[in-house]
Structure formats: structure tokens, C-alpha cells
Amino acid sequence: MKKISLLLLLLATVLCFSCSKDDDKETPADYLVLGITSVTINGQPLSVTSGVMLDVNNVKNMTINSVENQITKKHISINYAILDNSVVTPTVSFTSIYPDVSIVVAEKTGDKTHSFTVTVTRKGYEEQLTYTFVFTKM
């Protein structure tokens, strides 16, 4: 009886220690795998920092409205607002160094607004970026 109790105690101890380690740790998102190299808004090239953010510090009439980082889904959504005083239709252009990156641009036009939603994904990777640009006529 002592041998069975000792064996059960040993088995319980081994099971306890073997289950305490978390082997399912997620790797952090790396948006550089999307390879965004250039973004052009209305013909003006913008710098891309950390593979995600657009440097709008020196861009007149453009600001970041919101950023949502869904860490567990490896998805970042960034919304930009642009005051537009041009008579020319707004344009948005993205390029990536990787040929298998998907860049989908959805355009929507309203009375005083013109918006673009750009979704960037890459096959075989979980990372996803969504940019929304809302141009408002002044």
C-alpha cells in the first residue's frame, strides 16, 4: 500500500511540474514582415516608422485621429484626418518590398468627405494593418 501511495505521490508531483510551464507563448507581432516601404498621400511621400506609423509631423492639415492595437490578433488600425483644400481628387498609394503582400484600397465618397481604407496583409503571416484616411473639404 505504501508503494502505491508513494507511486501516486510521485506521479502527481511529475504531472504538476510538467503542466506548470506555458508552452503556448505567442510571438510578438512584427509588422516589418509586411515590408511597407512607401506611402504617398496626394502626391506627397511620407516616411514609415517601425513598419507601421506614418510620420505626419511635417504634413500640413493631417493628423492621427486614433490608433487601435489588437495585440492578440496582431492587428493595428490607424485613422488619419486630412483637411483638404484642393480641387483635385485625393489619392493614397502604398508599396511593399514583398511581392506577396496584399494591399487593398477601398474608397468611399461623401458630400464633403472622401475616405480610403487601406488593408495590408501577407499570406502566411498573422500581422495586419488597416489605415483609414478621411479627407474633409475645407
Side-chain angles (χ1 to χ4, degrees):
M1 185 71 170
K2 280 187 174 184
K3 286 185 179 182
I4 293 176
S5 297
L6 186 59
L7 186 60
L8 286 175
L9 182 61
L10 181 62
L11 181 64
T13 304
V14 169
L15 285 175
C16 182
F17 283 109
S18 67
C19 295
S20 67
K21 187 176 178 185
D22 186 11
D23 292 331
D24 293 333
K25 289 196 178 194
E26 290 272 333
T27 57
D30 178 12
Y31 294 100
L32 294 175
V33 300
L34 299 175
I36 298 173
T37 55
S38 70
V39 176
T40 305
I41 307 293
N42 287 343
Q44 181 176 359
L46 300 176
S47 300
V48 181
T49 59
S50 303
V52 178
M53 298 299 292
L54 305 181
D55 184 6
V56 298
N57 289 330
N58 297 323
V59 181
K60 195 174 185 179
N61 297 332
M62 184 173 179
T63 187
I64 298 172
N65 239 5
S66 66
V67 177
E68 180 182 357
N69 186 359
Q70 298 175 11
I71 295 170
T72 58
K73 294 183 179 182
K74 297 184 180 182
H75 180 217
I76 295 179
S77 297
I78 308 169
N79 298 312
Y80 294 90
I82 301 125
L83 288 176
D84 188 19
N85 57 3
S86 173
V87 293
V88 179
T89 304
T91 60
V92 173
S93 169
F94 278 65
T95 58
S96 171
I97 58 172
Y98 300 115
D100 59 340
V101 166
S102 169
I103 300 172
V104 178
V105 180
E107 188 174 355
K108 197 188 274 188
T109 305
D111 287 339
K112 293 191 178 210
T113 62
H114 198 112
S115 66
F116 296 88
T117 301
V118 181
T119 305
V120 183
T121 58
R122 185 173 180 194
K123 189 173 184 172
Y125 295 89
E126 294 178 59
E127 286 80 359
Q128 178 179 343
L129 295 171
T130 303
Y131 297 87
T132 303
F133 301 91
V134 178
F135 295 82
T136 304
K137 289 287 183 192
M138 292 174 48

